[in-house]
Each structure stands twice: as structure tokens, then as C-alpha cells.
Amino acid sequence: MKLLTHATAIAAIAALGATVSIASAQSPAATQTVVRAGSQPAIDGPAANFTGRVRVEPVFPATADAPFSAGYVTFEPGARSAWHTHPAGQRLIVTAGNGRTGVWGGPVVEIKAGDAVWCPPGLKHWHGAAPGSAMTHLALTGQKDGANVHWLEHVTDEQYGR
């Protein structure tokens, strides 16, 4: 193990301090923003966009600097979204339960807690809970030209795979 001399240690600390000062000087007005859990009211998913009982809990809104939003969406057993697309895509992280997702013309895919799903821009898809399990996912949704989703028709029971 190599020991630092007093002079070497002082030089290393001075270099670290200079790096911190430079980083601070580059963005003196920047600060973090904390959005407190539960500070935005949860809403029931509207019947025009969902089948079954769905609860949406916003986490944070999109901003000009970060054009994506986040929210927890909880689907009761058998509940699901309508078909929809996202102009800037969407990432889903399943946090609890078992669910299903599908793309237009494709198979129904089972998803479970810990799985992550990427929905590319413009891909017609749906997601929701499995028949015997509630499912919650964290949705990170991009925004493009002020829009984050384009809702389409409801998913039929046949498409859902009952």
C-alpha cells in the first residue's frame, strides 16, 4: 500500500476542491426538485380509455427540460387499457402482480413484477392485469409536440385472451 506524503495529500484535496468548484460554478442556479409522494391526487382511469377498474397515481409531470412523465397505474384483475400509441414511446416497469400486454396483430404476452416493457413510438398496443391478479406498473411516458398518448378503440375480450 502506498502512503501519501503530506504534500501529495494536500495537492489531491486541492484538486478535488477545484473540481467541485468548477462543477458548482457551471450551474450555480441549478437545484433538485422533490415531488412528494401523494402530492398529486390519484384518479380513476376513465371508462373511455380503460376496461375495468384502474387507478392512476401521478409521480411527476413532463417539463420542457425533461419531456416525460411518470405514474403508477394499478389494474384490478382483468382490467386493461384500450388500444393506444405513444408519439415518443413508453417504458413500463411492473412493480406488483401479474399482467398482460399485446401489440396489434401479435400475441398476448404475460408480464410479472420485475419485468420491464418498451413500447416504441407509434406502436399500437395495450396493457393490463391478468384475469386472476391485480397488476401495478410504473409508466414512464415520453411527450412529443405536447402529446403523450393517442387513445384508440377498446380491447375486446377475445383480444385480451379470455
Side-chain angles (χ1 to χ4, degrees), residues 6 30 72 85 109 113 118 122-123 129:
H6 183 67
Y72 288 104
T85 64
V109 176
W118 166 237
L123 180 69

Side-chain angles (χ1 to χ4, degrees), residues 1 20 29 34 51 55 58 61 73 75 79 89 92 111 115 145 152 159:
M1 176 179 203
V20 171
V34 175
T51 298
R55 188 97 172 131
V73 183
F75 299 83
L92 306 173
I111 53 178
D115 290 347
D145 299 327
L152 304 165
Q159 291 167 326

Side-chain angles (χ1 to χ4, degrees), residues 119-156:
C119 308
L123 180 69
K124 187 174 180 178
H125 69 282
W126 64 271
H127 31 90
S133 174
M135 187 270 293
T136 299
H137 63 54
L138 174 63
L140 300 160
T141 308
Q143 186 171 335
K144 184 175 181 182
D145 299 327
N148 66 359
V149 64
H150 297 292
W151 290 106
L152 304 165
E153 71 274 14
H154 280 270
V155 173
T156 66

Side-chain angles (χ1 to χ4, degrees):
M1 176 179 203
K2 183 177 179 180
L3 296 177
L4 294 177
T5 65
H6 183 67
T8 305
I10 291 173
I13 292 169
L16 179 61
T19 302
V20 171
S21 296
I22 290 168
S24 296
Q26 289 175 346
S27 56
T31 186
Q32 291 182 324
T33 301
V34 175
V35 179
R36 298 285 178 203
S39 65
Q40 298 180 72
I43 61 168
D44 291 332
N49 303 333
F50 297 96
T51 298
R53 187 157 183 233
V54 177
R55 188 97 172 131
V56 180
E57 299 174 64
V59 175
F60 59 80
T63 65
D65 292 331
F68 56 92
S69 61
Y72 288 104
V73 183
T74 300
F75 299 83
E76 292 300 318
R80 57 198 178 264
S81 71
W83 289 102
H84 60 283
T85 64
H86 299 282
Q90 181 181 59
R91 292 193 185 274
L92 306 173
I93 302 166
V94 182
T95 60
N98 297 304
R100 291 180 171 181
T101 187
V103 299
W104 189 256
V108 173
V109 176
E110 300 289 328
I111 53 178
K112 62 183 177 12
D115 290 347
V117 179
W118 166 237
C119 308
L123 180 69
K124 187 174 180 178
H125 69 282
W126 64 271
H127 31 90
S133 174
M135 187 270 293
T136 299
H137 63 54
L138 174 63
L140 300 160
T141 308
Q143 186 171 335
K144 184 175 181 182
D145 299 327
N148 66 359
V149 64
H150 297 292
W151 290 106
L152 304 165
E153 71 274 14
H154 280 270
V155 173
T156 66
D157 287 347
E158 182 181 350
Q159 291 167 326
Y160 173 75
R162 280 205 166 148

